[in-house]
Amino acid sequence: RPCRINVLSRGGVRARFFLRWRTFRWLLQRARQRTGSGNLHAAVVQDGDQVVGWYLYHLERDQMATVLQVVAEADAVRPVLEQLFSQASHHGAMAVTGRAEPRYLQALSDSYCVFHRRGPWVLVNARQPALLRSFETGDVWFSRLDGEWCLAF
């Protein structure tokens, strides 16, 4: 059964995520079982009773925190990132790495993050031009949790 979650504001329009809990639990289980190991960490960020974001990261044995997913309300990006960085540091991470969402670039830059253009890369093929345009414009929500990361090729 799908669950609708309203989380992001973009140009005054709230984005809606439709999750199938069974699929999401399966993705989390795959991330927990990833070979090469380390531990999966996850947190929901709240402002009072309101959920304003969440994040998932995998803390590797080499003390690198690989971010799998970050979701935040437009006005809560900075607090969500601050909590992510703080928790990763508290658990022993020497660095946090992951795919930068264009909508978070300003907050990441303000947090003195370093950017580079090393992989992993994404290859997208779509028969529907509108779907391909969504990837090109950044309107698609796509994280490492959605890709092949947890399969550990």
Side-chain angles (χ1 to χ4, degrees):
R1 186 172 111 195
C3 172
R4 185 177 84 181
I5 302 173
N6 295 321
V7 288
L8 291 176
S9 300
R10 184 173 176 134
V13 177
R14 293 183 67 81
R16 291 176 180 84
F17 292 84
F18 292 90
L19 299 174
R20 293 195 180 276
W21 288 117
R22 191 172 106 203
T23 303
F24 189 64
R25 282 193 303 267
W26 178 82
L27 284 170
L28 290 178
Q29 186 62 28
R30 294 294 305 185
R32 283 188 194 100
Q33 293 174 347
R34 183 164 190 238
T35 58
S37 253
N39 295 308
L40 181 67
H41 296 268
V44 172
V45 181
Q46 293 181 275
D47 183 8
D49 292 338
Q50 180 75 27
V51 172
V52 295
W54 69 80
Y55 56 85
L56 299 152
Y57 69 91
H58 195 265
L59 184 58
E60 307 287 343
R61 288 187 179 140
D62 64 0
Q63 297 177 305
M64 293 292 289
T66 301
V67 177
L68 304 179
Q69 188 176 69
V70 177
V71 177
E73 288 276 1
D75 61 349
V77 174
R78 185 167 286 145
V80 170
L81 291 174
E82 287 173 359
Q83 183 173 317
L84 164 63
F85 297 152
S86 177
Q87 184 187 38
S89 176
H90 176 77
H91 285 109
M94 295 183 67
V96 176
T97 185
R99 182 180 178 274
E101 280 292 325
R103 60 184 62 93
Y104 299 156
L105 287 178
Q106 187 61 56
L108 290 165
S109 178
D110 292 347
S111 297
Y112 303 102
C113 293
V114 175
F115 301 96
H116 58 80
R117 291 190 61 165
R118 290 177 251 164
W121 298 98
V122 175
L123 177 63
V124 178
N125 183 21
R127 292 183 181 165
Q128 298 176 4
L131 180 58
L132 191 55
R133 271 192 306 279
S134 294
F135 272 90
E136 291 171 344
T137 60
D139 290 335
V140 167
W141 195 264
F142 188 74
S143 71
R144 293 189 91 175
L145 188 64
D146 302 308
E148 298 172 340
W149 175 88
C150 63
L151 300 177
F153 287 116

